[in-house]
Each structure stands twice: as C-alpha cells, then as structure tokens.
Amino acid sequence: MADVPATAASRAGPPPRFERPGTLTFVFYVAALAFLIASIGNVDLSIERLANGIPRIGDLMGRMLPPDFSRLQSIGMKLLETFQMAVVGAALGIIISLPLAILAARDLSPHPLVYTAVRGLISFFRTVPDLIWALIFVIAVGLGPAAGTLALMVDTIGFCGRFFAEAMEETDKGPREAMTALGASRTGTVFSAVIPQAMPSFINTSLFSLEKATRSSVVLGLVGAGGIGIELKVAMDLFQYRQAATIILAIFVLVLVVERASTWLRSKVL
Amino acid sequence: MRAAAVAIDRNAAAAGVPIATADLEVADLQVGFADLPVLNGIGFRVARGESVAIVGPNGAGKSTLLRSIIRLIEPKSGIVQLAGQEVLSLRERELRRLRARIGFVFQRHNLVSRLSALTNVVHGAQARAGGPRTWLQSLARSTVRDEAMDCLARVGLAEVARRRADQLSGGQSQRVAIARMLMQRPQLVLADEPVASLDPSAGEDVMSLFAGLMRDSGMTVVFTTHNLRHARAYADRMIGLAGGGLAFDMPAGAVTDARLDGLFGGRDG
C-alpha cells in the first residue's frame, strides 16, 4: 500500500480533548456552582446533622421491628382502595387525555389558538403537584377516595396529554397524507392513520401513568383524599411504629407488583 | 442552460384531445414555495381513458405537479379542471368528495404499518362509506370487507390480508397501496413514481400489474416516472417537464431519444 502523504491537519495533531468554554458559558458554570453551594448552606444540611440522624433512623427501625400484622386485613382493604383509586384515576385521565392530546398536537389541532389553549391547560395540570390537586378536591367533593381519584385523574391528564400529543406529532406523515389524498376527514385520518401509529407510545405512557398514580395514591391520604396514606399518618402520629412498618411493607409490595406487571405488559404488548 | 436547450412544444398539448372528454385539464398552473417557483405556467389536458406519463429530471416539478392537482400542495394560481370540477375553488368538504374519486399512488406505499393489509385496503372506502366503521377491518360492514378482499385478490395478495403492513415486502406493500386505491373506485388515477422505491425486479412486476389493472378497467391515468421504458410501454402520451415548465407533450411513440436526451441534459433518465 502506498504511503499517504501527511496533510497539514495530521501534522498539527488531533484537536484538544475539551473545548474551552466561551466567556458567557464560563460565567454560567460559575454562577450555577455558586448557587448550588449557597443552597446547601441554606437548606441546613451538614455532615454533623447527618451523622446524628443515622443513629435515630437506626432507633426508629428498631422500634418498627418486627412488623405488627394484627391489622393486616384492614390494611389490605385500604391498600385495595388505594390501588382502585390509582386505576380509576389513571383510566379516567387516559381517556380524557386522548381528545385533549389531539387538540394539543401541532399539526392535528384545528386552530393555533386551540393548540395554545389546550397545551397551556395540560401544562397547568402537570405543573400543579398532585397533593395540591388533592387538597382542592377535598374542599370540592369532601374527604375520601373520590377526591384522591379526581386528583390522580388531573395529574394523569397532565402527564398523558403531553406525551400522547408528542407521540402523535412524531408519527410518519406518509400514511396521513395518503388518507388526506383519498378524501378522509380529519377525524378519520387521526383514528385511521395517526392513533394506530402512536399506539405503542400510548400504551407505554399509559402504563407509566398507572405506576405514577399508584405511587401518588399512597400519599394522598395524608391530606384526607382517601387511600392508605391516612393509616400510615395515624400509625406514625400514635407512635405505632410496628403497624407503620406493616403499612410501609404493604405499600412497597403494591408499588413493586404494579411496576413488575406494567413491565411485563409492556413487553407483551409492544 | 439545460431548460433553454429543451424544445418547448406547447402546441402539441391539445393535440387530439377533445375538451369535452377531458378528465383532467390544467392551465397556467403556478406553484411555488415561498419565493421559489417550482411550476411556472404548466398546461395540458388528459382525455378520459388515456394514460399519460410525466417525465423529467430530478427537481423538474413532477411530484409537485401531481400533488398540486388534488391540492396536497396548494397552487398559487391557475386552473385545474378535474372530473368536471374546478379544483382550486373547492371548499374543504367538496375537495374531500372530489379526492374520494381520485386514486393517488405514492412513491412510498404510505400504508399504516401497524395495521393489517386488509384494514389498509378498507381505508380506501373511508370517504365513500365514512365513519368509524372504515377505521378498522374488524368494524367494517361485510360488503366493505368483501370488496376489500376482492381488491387484494386483484393485486394477488388475498393470502396476506391479515398480515401487518410492516411485515410485507416493498413490492407487496406497494401492491396493497394499489388495492387501497382500487377500493376508492376511482374515476382517475394519479401515480407519483409508483415503483421508484422498489428493486428493479419488484418494480417491473408492480408496474406491469398497475398498468394492466388501469388498462383493463379503462381508467384515466397520469403517472410520473424516471423510467423511460415504462413511459414508452405504458403511456399513450408523454409530457416532459424541465425547470418547472412544459418541455413537450406528444404521443409516447413520437418522443425521440434526442428529445429525451435534451430533457435529461444528455443523461439517461
């Protein structure tokens, strides 16, 4: 093989491993680092406090063991209610998300104003935390699982609405154009060409939303919105740590089972 | 300049095509994107039952022309008289009704990949039958399902009816797309390089099938192609496009190699 003559670039050697940041970028890095350090100071987090806290956690764990299973049946019923809140809240949220997502998908929305308004509504649902929604619905519909279910529904709309819309925007435009060319209506095009293509993403997002709703549902009880959270709060307030341990274990099992089932379903469906 | 080297033969445009029997008539069509003109004053007529090939080099505006005819691309001005209707003045609902009668075969099959071949063919009845019952084959009326199976049989693919579109070969997919077009019961068919995405062997099979179906049913066809052999074999007339303008319009048998060389700038098309 003939020798290749060295070019000017090869004589100069490779470029630097790291690019030198620009002045503005450098200032941004320094400012971000300074803010992080200041924040650590303001949140009062210190090695000393951590060191003192660890034995207390050990002490609490000691008081929690062995778990008290005497109220297992009642805890099981509350756990079932928690899961039912998650299922119904997620299901309602997913169903409502679909039409909202169509209106919030850039090239499917009937008008730019509708697109902007629905996108804004979905963002609002997503940015307000589920615990705040639970507080609002406790005031609106009273204490109990209905408030929690509605809070989970709104939270799911915020989550699924965005991802459904993005999934539809990312679908192949070819089948859509084919449907337009053969005279299909806008609705027909969405249901025949867009939704079938976005379906794997819809299923994936829906299963994640169920997992998310299950995790959220266990804490909503803290504000009186139903579910097992209230049991945990009462147990902790009354220093019944062994019962609290049983509740935490039950929550762990529920979340784990839902996550595993969701992963299995995802692998089967997609 | 290549465009200047191409002989413009506008007088041949109307040759032998009586206006009364024209299925498609285009006049002074102007299409452009922003300030960039793509088609500049195109005009031609296609008689009922005629097969017309549109040829030209890349960027000549062949696909843009076909898409403009049914307003998948909005023309800036001009006249498009299609199946007795002035296309550019139609409202959305009227345009949908017209499109339902015009078959369009794309270069890429444009099937919905996750749906079965049968469902994709059932979609062809969407404008005619309407409603959710044409969204999926499982929801469709028996008559629609039977007709879709018949269309699949006509392209020789009845046995893959249940197979998902993304499990079909390129040639099979394009044949399913042709079956979907047949399901429209079209009055006129526009085909944008219908075999350009296929390997040569599959391309020959699909083109032969497509042209045979069109000939047997006496359907009016306008197709674009890079394959001059296809243009000569399957078209009654050939329209040459270059630089967004009409270079020639004449019977396919009368198009000489020299004229095509001029169109493609001396390259083999």
Side-chain angles (χ1 to χ4, degrees), chain A residues 219-231:
Chain A
V219 294
L220 296 183
L222 298 177
V223 294
I228 202 165
I230 189 68
E231 295 283 324

Side-chain angles (χ1 to χ4, degrees), chain B residues 55-177:
Chain B
V55 296
N58 286 334
K62 303 186 296 296
S63 295
T64 304
L65 172 58
L66 281 201
R67 284 174 148 78
S68 302
I69 289 171
I70 57 165
R71 284 173 54 191
L72 290 177
I73 294 173
E74 285 291 343
K76 289 189 167 174
S77 63
I79 296 170
V80 178
Q81 196 81 26
L82 180 57
Q85 286 188 277
E86 168 43 43
V87 180
L88 305 196
S89 62
L90 295 179
R91 294 178 179 197
E92 194 176 326
R93 188 182 289 262
E94 297 164 332
L95 180 62
R96 281 213 310 268
R97 281 202 204 106
L98 176 68
R99 283 172 176 163
R101 294 152 56 200
I102 309 299
F104 200 107
V105 180
F106 291 85
Q107 184 173 334
R108 231 187 102 239
H109 50 77
N110 284 351
L111 300 178
V112 184
S113 57
R114 290 181 58 80
L115 298 179
S116 70
L118 183 60
T119 291
N120 273 285
V121 178
V122 164
H123 286 168
Q126 193 140 127
R128 175 161 43 91
R133 297 198 70 172
T134 51
W135 295 349
L136 290 171
Q137 64 84 16
S138 48
L139 305 174
R141 292 178 196 283
S142 297
T143 49
V144 172
R145 295 178 86 244
D146 290 346
E147 188 179 343
M149 280 306 295
D150 183 50
C151 291
L152 274 175
R154 287 171 72 189
V155 299
L157 287 180
E159 77 280 4
V160 302
R162 294 178 64 188
R163 203 178 297 170
R164 265 170 54 156
D166 55 6
Q167 290 166 359
L168 301 173
S169 69
Q172 286 176 323
S173 297
Q174 196 62 323
R175 284 199 277 169
V176 172

Side-chain angles (χ1 to χ4, degrees), chain B:
Chain B
M1 196 173 145
R2 192 194 310 158
V6 176
I8 305 292
D9 191 353
R10 289 179 188 277
N11 293 334
V17 185
I19 294 171
T21 59
D23 253 356
L24 170 64
E25 186 176 354
V26 176
D28 197 24
L29 188 67
Q30 310 269 351
V31 185
F33 302 110
D35 291 333
L36 184 73
V38 179
L39 296 177
N40 200 3
I42 295 284
F44 61 92
R45 293 194 194 101
V46 180
R48 186 156 302 160
E50 198 178 19
S51 173
V52 174
I54 297 174
V55 296
N58 286 334
K62 303 186 296 296
S63 295
T64 304
L65 172 58
L66 281 201
R67 284 174 148 78
S68 302
I69 289 171
I70 57 165
R71 284 173 54 191
L72 290 177
I73 294 173
E74 285 291 343
K76 289 189 167 174
S77 63
I79 296 170
V80 178
Q81 196 81 26
L82 180 57
Q85 286 188 277
E86 168 43 43
V87 180
L88 305 196
S89 62
L90 295 179
R91 294 178 179 197
E92 194 176 326
R93 188 182 289 262
E94 297 164 332
L95 180 62
R96 281 213 310 268
R97 281 202 204 106
L98 176 68
R99 283 172 176 163
R101 294 152 56 200
I102 309 299
F104 200 107
V105 180
F106 291 85
Q107 184 173 334
R108 231 187 102 239
H109 50 77
N110 284 351
L111 300 178
V112 184
S113 57
R114 290 181 58 80
L115 298 179
S116 70
L118 183 60
T119 291
N120 273 285
V121 178
V122 164
H123 286 168
Q126 193 140 127
R128 175 161 43 91
R133 297 198 70 172
T134 51
W135 295 349
L136 290 171
Q137 64 84 16
S138 48
L139 305 174
R141 292 178 196 283
S142 297
T143 49
V144 172
R145 295 178 86 244
D146 290 346
E147 188 179 343
M149 280 306 295
D150 183 50
C151 291
L152 274 175
R154 287 171 72 189
V155 299
L157 287 180
E159 77 280 4
V160 302
R162 294 178 64 188
R163 203 178 297 170
R164 265 170 54 156
D166 55 6
Q167 290 166 359
L168 301 173
S169 69
Q172 286 176 323
S173 297
Q174 196 62 323
R175 284 199 277 169
V176 172
I178 292 169
R180 178 178 60 187
M181 175 271 289
L182 293 174
M183 191 67 188
Q184 285 179 253
R185 302 180 195 160
Q187 181 177 338
L188 180 144
V189 174
L190 305 172
D192 184 15
E193 304 206 27
V195 297
S197 64
L198 305 178
D199 64 65
S201 163
E204 289 301 324
D205 291 346
V206 171
M207 193 65 203
S208 160
L209 172 86
F210 172 69
L213 285 166
M214 298 300 100
R215 191 178 50 242
D216 294 347
S217 56
M219 216 156 338
T220 311
V221 190
V222 181
F223 66 97
T224 64
T225 183
H226 267 113
N227 188 321
L228 299 176
R229 211 177 50 70
H230 286 169
R232 284 198 162 114
Y234 301 120
D236 304 318
R237 247 169 71 227
M238 221 188 282
I239 292 175
L241 285 189
L246 198 70
F248 61 81
D249 180 350
M250 56 180 59
V255 180
T256 61
D257 288 345
R259 194 178 280 276
L260 290 172
D261 279 349
L263 185 68
F264 287 94
R267 288 176 291 121
D268 184 10

